[in-house]
Amino acid sequence: MLSEQERKKIAEEMKLHEQPRGAISEALLIVQEHRGWVPDEALSDVAGMLGVSTADVEAVATFYELIFRKPVGKHVILLCDSVSCWITGEERLEEHLQKRLGVALGGTTPDGQFTLLPAGCLGACDLGPAMMIDGTLYDTLTPEKADEILSKYGMGSDAQTSHG
């Protein structure tokens, strides 16, 4: 069930669109803002509020990679795996981050602090490899530069030892 605050924000968003369908992605992001992710039951609640089918809402929820359909960590790391980033060393960075965090792509650290997700493109094609953490873009990355960035988000100098 949507909270009163979620309903209020979604209603405000609906006013900005001629068709209810146009508010689907923003409604899902509102749910995610409040819950950290979008659970299955929220899809039908959003659909009911917007007057569209649950299938329409689910189609949007599964299409956009920034709408999280399962719980994620406190900090979400999106690692660009586009051809441009791959050419500039994305694979090396991916291996480093997986080892450093102790998780595979799609995984969340055991302490719930970080989730590592692949991203099709972060729009920094001339500055790869790139990653985004909580909406902040980092480019021209090396494993060392990535470690410095992770430390700003509370990742200590020792790599995680448990794997998930």
Side-chain angles (χ1 to χ4, degrees):
M1 178 171 281
L2 296 174
S3 70
E4 188 58 39
Q5 191 175 23
E6 289 168 326
R7 287 186 171 283
K8 183 179 177 186
K9 283 187 151 187
I10 292 170
E12 291 170 11
E13 185 62 36
M14 289 172 66
K15 293 176 187 175
L16 302 175
H17 300 272
E18 278 187 39
Q19 300 294 319
R21 180 175 261 104
I24 294 174
S25 61
E26 288 301 321
L28 291 169
L29 289 171
I30 289 166
V31 171
Q32 181 169 290
E33 177 186 323
H34 286 87
R35 303 178 189 198
W37 65 295
V38 180
D40 288 341
E41 65 272 5
L43 298 178
S44 59
D45 293 342
V46 167
M49 188 169 176
L50 296 178
V52 299
S53 73
T54 302
D56 286 340
V57 176
E58 186 170 8
V60 172
T62 56
F63 178 78
Y64 291 105
E65 57 188 22
L66 294 180
I67 295 175
F68 308 128
R69 296 290 290 121
K70 64 180 185 175
V72 293
K74 179 179 177 184
H75 303 290
V76 176
I77 302 169
L78 298 173
L79 179 62
C80 184
D81 62 2
S82 71
V83 170
S84 297
C85 283
W86 178 78
I87 289 171
T88 58
E90 178 273 334
E91 282 183 317
R92 181 172 164 239
L93 183 62
E94 178 183 324
E95 288 174 15
H96 177 77
L97 289 172
Q98 288 181 84
K99 183 177 179 185
R100 181 90 164 97
L101 297 169
V103 298
L105 280 178
T108 299
T109 57
D111 63 4
Q113 290 298 300
F114 297 93
T115 296
L116 180 62
L117 298 173
C121 180
L122 296 176
C125 297
D126 58 334
L127 301 170
M131 70 179 178
M132 183 178 283
I133 303 178
D134 301 341
T136 301
L137 181 67
Y138 299 97
D139 56 42
T140 57
L141 293 172
T142 62
E144 297 77 22
K145 190 172 175 182
D147 285 346
E148 290 174 26
I149 293 164
L150 287 174
S151 70
K152 295 177 188 175
Y153 291 88
M155 182 76 184
S157 60
D158 295 334
Q160 300 253 341
T161 55
S162 54
H163 298 273

